Amino acid sequence: MLVSVYTQGVKGSIGVNYGTEADNLPPPSKVARFLLDSTVIRRVRVFDADREMLRAFAGTRIAITITIPNDLIPHLTNLTFAQEWVKDILLPHTHATNIVRILVGNEVLSTANKLLITNLVPAMETLHDALIRESLDRDIKISTPHSLGILSNSNPPSMGKFRQGYDAYILKPLLNFLKATNSPFMINPYPFFASSDDTLDYALFRPTLGVVDENTNLTYTNMLDGQLDAVFSAIKRLGFTDIDIVIGETGWPSKGDIGQAGVDPETAAEYNRKLIQHVTSGIGTPLMPNTTFETYIFALFNEDLKPGPTCERNFGLFDPNLTPVYDVGILKPVANAAQRIQHGISATSNCMKDNRRQHRPTPKHKAVGMRSGRKLSLTGGVLVPPPRAANIGIYTLYILYFPKIQYSISRV
């Protein structure tokens, strides 16, 4: 089922993480054109500063966030190195590619690497100095994303606290830098990894009794709000209340290992759809009401070369051929229709081959809903006579499915 949520709210605040740990992905130029023409996504985070990648997004006005690999962090504390990096990587592309943010490393504090951790803030400060020298500091901000592992306590949310040692020596200087440069604090919350059979509904934004924070008497209706407010409380504990929080990564896998609860395309679609609705609604969280959150869904593609359990390779919204693994409402209406036709043509072609082997024609009135050998659910839809039919040889493809329900997201 493909449902369109083409709204300005989604366009403005929802992005995707574009990873490339795979051997079957389309070229960046094709991906950039697809995102621009067929989706409402206007923010993309890339995990390297590949020149081909930056050239691919030239002229699209899609806001690009670049991630600098962890191993470059010690080198960036040297101003000469930072200046050369800016001149070599950024300057050739800033006139045409909309680069808005640089992330120095990824989840650095979780590496437990003292060299990287102690050099993190100095590297960010030095890189900022290099941006100032090229008059880029107002247009390109610097931050670094963290896992929830930086918290020593997250329950209840009002008692959120950073790990001792990191709080005063790393995170407080980091927060001072972010405040001084008007940059956001970036966190990677994953309700999926914190959920169990008992908390699955809570993680998926489903109706529950909620969880009450006894310190504030505030009720939490979903796990993501609790995670975000725990981070907010930890930041506030260090004396900061006016730094924006950006969700650098969050998502849900569509496939996992045997025994994992809620790991299938339907559940992944449910989480990401409700995520988009929630973070763009302006409702905010119990401790951050009336707030929208810039959010980057992980990930754009399934990445077949990623190590680890099966789920790590199956967080993608799209297959390498740019068809949805499932729908979360980010396709434009025209693209939605095209995807339905493409799926139908592919399915009809497969059915034609099967029927030829069985020496019987495909009934013209039969609804066909197959993609890559997997049935597409028609729940919530109706089968109606088609206004038009596309002839394929002697067979006729009918576009039979029209969604009854259109998900909408309020724009704030």
Side-chain angles (χ1 to χ4, degrees):
M1 179 173 64
L2 295 173
V3 181
S4 175
V5 191
Y6 185 41
T7 70
Q8 293 298 320
V10 173
K11 181 187 289 189
S13 58
I14 298 298
V16 291
N17 285 270
Y18 178 7
T20 56
E21 289 189 59
D23 59 7
N24 56 357
L25 299 182
S29 57
K30 186 174 182 180
V31 174
R33 182 52 54 183
F34 168 74
L35 290 174
L36 180 65
D37 293 343
S38 301
T39 79
V40 298
I41 294 298
R42 293 298 177 266
R43 294 182 181 272
V44 174
R45 176 193 175 189
V46 297
F47 284 85
D48 52 48
D50 180 83
R51 293 173 179 81
E52 180 187 4
M53 185 78 71
L54 297 180
R55 283 196 299 268
F57 286 93
T60 65
R61 299 304 301 163
I62 292 174
I64 300 299
T65 293
I66 297 173
T67 307
I68 296 178
N70 287 355
D71 57 8
L72 287 186
I73 290 174
H75 301 286
L76 284 170
T77 60
N78 181 286
L79 180 58
T80 299
F81 182 91
Q83 288 179 291
E84 291 176 352
W85 188 90
V86 169
K87 290 178 180 178
D88 186 40
I89 301 299
L90 291 187
L91 286 181
H93 304 286
T94 52
H95 66 288
T97 301
N98 185 24
I99 302 170
V100 299
R101 188 178 295 139
I102 301 171
L103 304 184
V104 178
N106 185 54
E107 299 186 349
V108 176
L109 300 189
S110 298
T111 67
N113 185 314
K114 290 184 179 180
L115 179 65
L116 299 181
I117 292 171
T118 57
N119 282 289
L120 176 60
V121 176
M124 296 171 70
E125 292 171 337
T126 306
L127 183 59
H128 181 67
D129 288 342
L131 292 181
I132 291 175
R133 292 167 186 257
E134 299 294 343
S135 300
L136 294 174
D137 55 300
R138 292 188 177 182
D139 298 322
I140 301 177
K141 300 300 179 179
I142 297 173
S143 189
T144 185
H146 308 277
S147 75
L148 287 175
I150 61 173
L151 298 176
S152 62
N153 184 62
S154 60
N155 189 36
S158 61
M159 297 300 292
K161 185 178 181 180
F162 291 126
R163 291 188 177 277
Q164 188 174 2
Y166 289 164
D167 52 359
Y169 296 105
I170 305 297
L171 289 164
K172 191 166 186 177
L174 171 64
L175 290 164
N176 276 320
F177 170 81
L178 297 178
K179 181 177 181 179
T181 59
N182 194 29
S183 300
F185 186 89
M186 299 191 68
I187 191 72
N188 298 341
Y190 279 93
F192 168 73
F193 289 115
S195 66
S196 63
D197 289 341
D198 294 335
T199 61
L200 191 61
D201 288 346
Y202 186 58
L204 290 168
F205 302 92
R206 293 171 180 169
T208 66
L209 294 177
V211 177
V212 177
D213 184 326
E214 295 181 356
N215 293 320
T216 60
N217 287 323
L218 295 172
T219 299
Y220 286 81
T221 59
N222 64 84
M223 188 179 293
L224 180 68
D225 280 358
Q227 293 176 336
L228 292 175
D229 275 359
V231 173
F232 173 81
S233 296
I235 293 174
K236 185 178 179 181
R237 196 174 298 277
L238 292 182
F240 300 87
T241 58
D242 54 354
I243 295 176
D244 289 340
I245 293 176
V246 167
I247 299 174
E249 293 180 25
T250 190
W252 200 282
S254 59
K255 185 178 180 181
D257 294 312
I258 296 175
Q260 284 188 294
V263 184
D264 53 66
E266 292 75 23
T267 307
E270 180 182 7
Y271 174 77
N272 282 319
R273 275 200 308 267
K274 291 178 178 178
L275 165 77
I276 293 172
Q277 291 174 316
H278 186 62
V279 299
T280 62
S281 68
I283 294 173
T285 70
L287 291 180
M288 294 179 283
N290 306 315
T291 303
T292 58
F293 294 94
E294 183 182 331
T295 300
Y296 292 79
I297 297 175
F298 191 89
L300 182 57
F301 294 112
N302 287 330
E303 298 174 64
D304 63 350
L305 298 182
K306 293 196 73 172
T310 302
C311 67
E312 289 289 345
R313 294 178 288 281
N314 291 278
F315 273 88
L317 298 174
F318 293 93
D319 286 324
N321 64 359
L322 301 177
T323 58
V325 177
Y326 50 83
D327 176 60
V328 294
I330 61 174
L331 287 173
K332 292 180 180 178
V334 173
N336 251 330
Q339 292 289 355
R340 286 200 294 271
I341 294 172
Q342 181 177 346
H343 293 166
I345 291 174
S346 176
T348 302
S349 177
N350 290 335
C351 288
M352 287 163 60
K353 293 176 183 177
D354 292 339
N355 284 315
R356 283 168 182 162
R357 284 194 293 268
Q358 298 173 25
H359 304 289
R360 66 187 186 191
T362 303
K364 289 185 179 182
H365 62 276
K366 185 176 181 180
V368 180
M370 300 289 291
R371 178 168 65 82
S372 302
R374 184 171 71 243
K375 284 189 176 181
L376 296 177
S377 172
L378 298 183
T379 304
V382 290
L383 296 179
V384 298
R388 299 178 62 184
N391 292 319
I392 308 174
I394 61 172
Y395 294 88
T396 302
L397 168 65
Y398 283 165
I399 310 303
L400 296 173
Y401 179 65
F402 295 87
K404 282 182 178 178
I405 304 172
Q406 294 290 324
Y407 289 88
S408 63
I409 294 178
S410 300
R411 178 164 61 93
V412 179

